[in-house]
Amino acid sequence: MQQIFLKPLATVSAALIMALVFSSSLMAADTEGTAAELASLLKSYETYQADFIQIVVNENGSKVQESRGSLKAKRPGLFYWETQAPLSQYIVSNGQSVEVFDPDLEQVTVHNLDDRVQTTPALLLSGEVDNLEDTYRVSGRQVGDHTREFTLEPKSEDSLFVSLRLTFFKNELQEMRMQDSLSQLSVLSFNDIKLNESVDDSAFTLEYPEDVDVIRDEG
């Protein structure tokens, strides 16, 4: 196994970033109460499991990628993401670091969970969500009787995304949308959702051949 050490990477893998976009609708004013409401919803998820379809759209509205896969999240800090072929990729977090395995590249990249990486949307399902208002401007709106949307806009200019929207139906996370600084939109739709079912910690491990290159982010 070859070990390669690099300077901190500018971004985490696009698959880990996941989802979300600017809302075209009017939003409620940013309040600590809205952030606390979202945090309460997310904290009620001790575990979250789902299959997903991820569609990436460019600034012209053209679909540039579609992928399918599954994810598992468990508090505190455990996360597993698998994208199916032909865009195979595996991402695992143990709460201290994130490993990204790209089988086609025969490469594993290991990132430390520094403050910047912790703003990754996917980790909202497994990481710390108290004091969201310190990191994001949070707004929300009610859509019908059972659907609630929250939009998060990072306060930091170094964030991995520009705008993130989470959609809940009857308090169950159904969709995430993310828009990046290049106006690329990623939409992640969840199905076969399982909330708070028992998941063993052993499910959050990454297995790969011994001869792959391991690239370590020293940040």
Side-chain angles (χ1 to χ4, degrees):
M1 179 189 303
Q2 181 181 3
Q3 302 246 357
I4 304 172
F5 292 85
L6 298 179
K7 293 181 180 180
L9 298 178
T11 61
V12 176
S13 166
L16 181 60
I17 295 175
M18 291 207 222
L20 306 98
V21 72
F22 293 115
S23 172
S24 60
S25 304
L26 294 176
M27 291 290 178
D30 294 353
T31 63
E32 290 186 6
T34 305
E37 179 188 357
L38 174 58
S40 178
L41 271 174
L42 293 171
K43 287 169 66 177
S44 71
Y45 295 177
E46 292 296 327
T47 66
Y48 182 95
Q49 303 175 77
D51 295 330
F52 64 80
I53 299 174
Q54 182 178 17
I55 296 175
V56 180
V57 179
N58 64 20
E59 60 181 351
N60 297 320
S62 299
K63 184 171 69 173
V64 296
Q65 180 179 307
E66 179 176 330
S67 57
R68 297 171 182 265
S70 61
L71 68 86
K72 301 181 181 71
K74 181 179 181 180
R75 298 190 187 278
L78 299 178
F79 184 84
Y80 179 92
W81 167 286
E82 177 180 345
T83 305
Q84 299 171 1
L87 301 172
S88 296
Q89 189 176 57
Y90 302 84
I91 302 172
V92 175
S93 172
N94 62 4
Q96 303 297 320
S97 63
V98 175
E99 293 181 299
V100 181
F101 175 36
D102 291 290
D104 293 339
L105 300 177
E106 297 183 340
Q107 175 180 290
V108 175
T109 307
V110 183
H111 305 269
N112 290 330
L113 268 178
D114 57 22
D115 290 340
R116 188 163 183 267
V117 175
Q118 289 185 42
T119 65
T120 300
L123 298 183
L124 291 172
L125 292 171
S126 62
E128 177 60 52
V129 292
D130 287 328
N131 303 317
L132 285 174
E133 69 276 7
D134 293 343
T135 306
Y136 305 103
R137 289 181 290 274
V138 184
S139 55
R141 70 165 188 149
Q142 190 71 27
V143 183
D145 293 334
H146 303 297
T147 301
R148 184 72 167 151
E149 293 180 351
F150 296 90
T151 296
L152 292 79
E153 297 177 309
K155 295 181 178 180
S156 171
E157 295 181 357
D158 294 331
S159 177
L160 300 173
F161 60 93
V162 174
S163 179
L164 175 69
R165 191 174 77 198
L166 293 82
T167 300
F168 295 81
F169 178 74
K170 294 184 177 180
N171 295 334
E172 184 176 86
L173 181 62
Q174 298 279 335
E175 183 183 86
M176 300 178 75
R177 292 175 171 255
M178 183 185 73
Q179 188 169 26
D180 63 24
S181 59
L182 300 177
S183 298
Q184 181 171 269
L185 169 65
S186 180
V187 181
L188 192 70
S189 301
F190 301 111
N191 56 79
D192 194 20
I193 299 169
K194 300 175 183 176
L195 289 178
N196 297 330
E197 293 189 5
S198 178
V199 183
D200 193 88
D201 288 358
S202 63
F204 302 93
T205 56
L206 184 59
E207 297 182 0
Y208 46 85
E210 293 184 358
D211 59 350
V212 302
D213 290 336
V214 177
I215 302 175
R216 297 190 180 276
D217 179 348
E218 293 183 306

